[in-house]
């Protein structure tokens, strides 16, 4: 079995299953299965609402004694370490059995354990009869504080979707320069700032821009918010996110939607669009092609559904992402 660098685990509700799989395809170029994925892509788990944790694999084997020997050969000497057992799909071991495995691995290392304030955390897990060991990185849930932002719209996308749009637009790469073309109250901007992405905002609605700035200031974030029609911007980006107006707080029609997408296609080679209707014709008319797609329903009995379109320029000569 060839070794990959990382093992990522995922957690999501059924109504976000398609969204999670879209994100994994865009970040890892592969779709998660059994709520996990093996990959050589080095991604921060906290850029995604669905990645629970990451194990940087240093030892693996389908023979348990050999597995322990390999960990000993790593000659790990560390103070204040912690080891966790990560249960994966198909692992039915009891808590006692898992505790025994943790004890076995602990004896393969030199140092003092510290369960409350470890300086480094390791993890072991078993998947399809293979044992894995490595440095463990957990998802940071700090971004959940954005649920209490001072300004909001009833039709705003939730923070899970906002977070996913950013990771998909940038393909997980924090060096990319992004634009939220219809930023509204700044839901996407907040998630980008928290995760360390380079994202600016733009909205034609003066009140929306002020609401975005107020939300950013409330959490001590700083980024540029342009009060402008996107067609009047002359700055180039690696990728643009567009949560199209729903014709509720901001007037919208087919001509406006087409102009927004066309204007965005001139500023970036990669566009991620959120809509509540089929806009593929407008995407094609803007010199773009759909490279990935999913739908996201709301939890419960509501039939309200959002569509997420990942688009790239048909002419690939000047694409940098």
């Amino acid at each position: 079995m060839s070794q990959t660098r990382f093992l990522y685990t995922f957690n999501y509700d059924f109504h976000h299953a398609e969204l999670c799989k879209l994100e994994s395809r865009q970040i890892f170029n592969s779709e998660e299965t059994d709520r996990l994925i093996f990959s050589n892509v080095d991604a921060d788990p906290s850029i995604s609402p669905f990645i629970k944790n990451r194990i940087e694999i240093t030892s693996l084997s389908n023979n348990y004694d050999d597995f322990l020997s390999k960990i000993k050969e790593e000659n790990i000497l560390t103070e204040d370490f912690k080891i966790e057992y990560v249960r994966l799909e198909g692992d039915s071991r009891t808590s006692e059995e898992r505790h025994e495995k943790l004890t076995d691995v602990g004896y393969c290392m030199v140092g003092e354990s510290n369960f409350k304030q470890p300086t480094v955390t390791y993890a072991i897990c078993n998947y399809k009869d293979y044992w894995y060991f490595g440095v463990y990185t957990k998802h940071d849930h700090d971004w959940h504080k954005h649920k209490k932002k001072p300004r909001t719209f009833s039709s705003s996308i939730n923070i899970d979707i906002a977070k996913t749009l950013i990771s998909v637009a940038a393909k997980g790469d924090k060096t990319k320069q992004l634009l939220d073309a219809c930023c509204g109250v700044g839901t996407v901007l907040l998630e980008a700032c928290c995760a360390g992405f380079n994202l600016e905002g733009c909205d034609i609605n003066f009140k929306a821009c002020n609401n975005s700035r107020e939300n950013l200031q409330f959490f001590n974030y700083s980024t540029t918010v342009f009060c402008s029609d996107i067609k009047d911007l002359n700055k180039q980006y690696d990728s643009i996110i567009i949560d199209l107006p729903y014709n509720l707080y901001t007037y919208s029609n087919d001509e406006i939607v087409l102009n927004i997408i066309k204007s965005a296609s001139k500023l970036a080679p990669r566009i991620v669009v959120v809509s509540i209707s089929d806009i593929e014709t407008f995407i094609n008319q803007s010199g773009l092609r759909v490279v990935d797609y999913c739908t996201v329903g709301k939890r419960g009995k509501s039939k309200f559904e959002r569509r997420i379109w990942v688009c790239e320029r048909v002419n690939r000569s000047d694409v940098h992402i």
Side-chain angles (χ1 to χ4, degrees):
M1 181 178 180
S2 60
Q3 183 170 342
T4 50
R5 284 188 64 194
F6 303 104
L7 189 165
Y8 297 87
T9 65
F10 297 79
N11 184 41
Y12 51 85
D13 293 329
F14 72 93
H15 64 290
H16 279 157
E18 280 194 50
L19 185 62
C20 177
K21 291 183 183 298
L22 170 75
E23 184 189 60
S24 70
R25 291 193 297 268
Q26 292 302 309
I27 295 177
F28 302 108
N29 300 311
S30 182
E31 192 170 281
E32 62 86 17
T33 304
D34 291 337
R35 296 181 183 260
L36 61 85
I37 197 167
F38 292 90
S39 177
N40 286 316
V41 175
D42 185 355
D44 175 3
S46 298
I47 67 172
S48 163
F50 308 119
I51 300 176
K52 284 179 61 179
N53 51 57
R54 181 187 76 188
I55 300 175
E56 185 171 1
I57 303 167
T58 54
S59 291
L60 76 157
S61 178
N62 60 352
N63 179 279
Y64 186 65
D65 290 335
D66 179 56
F67 175 64
L68 295 178
S69 295
K70 288 185 175 181
I71 296 174
K72 288 180 181 178
E73 290 172 3
E74 291 190 40
N75 295 318
I76 297 173
L77 175 60
T78 182
E79 298 297 329
D80 298 327
F81 71 87
K82 180 181 179 181
I83 311 173
E84 293 195 21
Y85 190 108
V86 179
R87 291 187 70 181
L88 303 179
E89 185 75 23
D91 187 348
S92 59
R93 289 173 180 80
T94 65
S95 59
E96 288 184 1
E97 290 174 320
R98 297 196 301 271
H99 181 73
E100 289 175 359
K101 303 302 182 187
L102 289 172
T103 301
D104 290 343
V105 172
Y107 281 127
C108 296
M109 304 164 63
V110 178
E112 292 292 331
S113 60
N114 186 329
F115 296 104
K116 293 184 177 181
Q117 293 182 316
T119 56
V120 59
T121 301
Y122 298 93
I124 61 170
C125 61
N126 185 278
Y127 181 66
K128 293 185 176 180
D129 296 326
Y130 265 83
W131 288 97
Y132 298 89
F133 169 83
V135 177
Y136 188 50
T137 303
K138 287 186 176 182
H139 181 105
D140 184 350
H141 292 88
D142 185 53
W143 58 285
H144 285 183
K145 65 188 178 185
H146 299 152
K147 293 178 181 179
K148 297 181 179 180
K149 58 181 176 288
R151 298 294 180 181
T152 185
F153 286 160
S154 60
S155 61
S156 296
I157 58 175
N158 65 37
I159 60 176
D160 288 16
I161 297 177
K163 200 168 184 66
T164 306
L165 293 176
I166 300 160
S167 62
V168 168
K171 294 182 73 70
D173 186 346
K174 294 184 181 181
T175 68
K176 299 301 182 182
Q177 184 63 55
L178 313 176
L179 173 72
D180 181 2
C182 302
C183 65
V185 297
T187 306
V188 174
L189 292 172
L190 294 176
E191 301 313 321
C193 289
C194 185
F197 284 92
N198 301 310
L199 177 70
E200 296 178 335
C202 170
D203 204 292
I204 198 171
N205 186 302
F206 179 80
K207 183 177 179 181
C209 291
N210 282 342
N211 286 339
S212 279
R213 295 180 183 120
E214 183 176 341
N215 282 334
L216 289 164
Q217 186 176 19
F218 181 80
F219 293 105
N220 294 316
Y221 298 143
S222 178
T223 191
T224 302
V225 178
F226 300 103
C227 188
S228 169
D229 191 316
I230 186 174
K231 70 180 177 61
D232 296 324
L233 294 183
N234 57 11
K235 187 174 180 179
Q236 292 294 306
Y237 296 88
D238 293 302
S239 186
I240 294 177
I241 298 166
I242 309 171
D243 183 15
L244 289 170
Y246 304 138
N247 202 21
L248 294 174
Y249 296 97
T250 301
Y251 176 70
S252 181
N253 57 32
D254 287 352
E255 183 180 0
I256 291 173
V257 168
L258 178 59
N259 286 335
I260 290 174
I261 298 174
K262 275 188 174 181
S263 298
S265 70
K266 296 175 183 178
L267 302 181
R270 181 175 171 87
I271 317 289
V272 179
V273 188
V274 182
S275 71
I276 57 174
S277 61
D278 188 343
I279 58 166
E280 188 163 8
T281 298
F282 299 146
I283 291 170
N284 294 336
Q285 290 176 3
S286 302
L288 302 167
R289 63 186 179 94
V290 178
V291 297
D292 211 337
Y293 169 86
C294 82
T295 59
V296 185
K298 292 190 75 173
R299 187 197 302 267
K301 297 180 180 180
S302 172
K303 294 184 179 179
F304 183 82
E305 187 177 74
R306 285 184 169 92
R307 307 177 186 212
I308 297 180
W309 313 78
V310 183
C311 315
E312 293 180 352
R313 282 184 190 150
V314 174
N315 179 5
R316 300 287 294 167
S317 62
D318 55 349
V319 175
H320 303 295
I321 190 170

